[in-house]
Amino acid sequence: MADWRSEEFYKERRDELEKRVGPRRFKHSLGVSETAEALACVYGADKTAARVAGLLHDWDKGYDDEGIRARAVELGIADQLASYLDMPHLLHGPTASAALAREFPELPAPLLQAIRLHTTGAVGMSPLDLIVYVADVIE
């Protein structure tokens, strides 16, 4: 397995993402990745973490409403997300974070948190959280 900071890891995840989401969403994710990296450079955050989080932020966006609810159950996080089950469009951030943590345990917690919070935001967001959130809105 390639180091999460490597270009190889990025390219492998990019290729997987292209198969997981439609062409418009894939293009959006590439744009978020580039924008997050640029914002990280401006604001002094980890640009590799921003680039990878930007790429992966919509990892679970390809699910329909029932599918994303089932994904939350499958990942064992539905109870934590009970207040969002009636707003399934918000679930893909938390489910993506949980799924990526399971599949790629080497991904650091701050990167996974930025992915988790990109749909809902939170009080006290870190610079990386804010960068991914804003990059998503810009793109």
Side-chain angles (χ1 to χ4, degrees):
M1 171 81 47
D3 173 45
W4 74 270
R5 294 177 105 29
S6 71
E7 191 61 25
E8 178 185 358
F9 182 89
Y10 184 89
K11 287 178 180 177
E12 289 173 356
R13 299 303 73 75
R14 183 191 64 208
D15 292 348
E16 284 181 64
L17 182 66
E18 188 172 17
K19 295 172 186 161
R20 293 178 68 89
V21 298
R24 199 172 119 251
R25 180 67 48 194
F26 180 66
K27 182 179 177 187
H28 163 76
S29 293
L30 294 178
V32 173
S33 178
E34 291 172 14
T35 301
E37 182 178 29
L39 288 170
C41 289
V42 170
Y43 292 103
D46 182 331
K47 67 181 187 176
T48 303
R51 180 177 184 237
V52 172
L55 177 72
L56 301 177
H57 80 286
D58 278 349
W59 188 254
D60 274 2
K61 189 68 174 175
Y63 290 91
D64 63 13
D65 289 354
E66 288 311 308
I68 199 67
R69 288 182 183 113
R71 179 80 156 152
V73 171
E74 168 203 336
L75 292 165
I77 60 173
D79 289 344
Q80 300 166 28
L81 301 172
S83 62
Y84 297 115
L85 293 178
D86 288 334
M87 298 175 279
H89 61 282
L90 297 177
L91 293 174
H92 71 276
T95 63
S97 178
L100 290 162
R102 181 184 290 176
E103 190 169 348
F104 307 105
E106 68 274 17
L107 289 172
L111 186 154
L112 294 167
Q113 177 176 291
I115 292 169
R116 181 169 37 88
L117 295 179
H118 91 271
T119 55
T120 61
V123 173
M125 290 170 71
S126 74
L128 180 60
D129 299 340
L130 291 166
I131 285 168
V132 174
Y133 187 89
V134 169
D136 186 35
V137 172
I138 290 171
E139 287 299 317

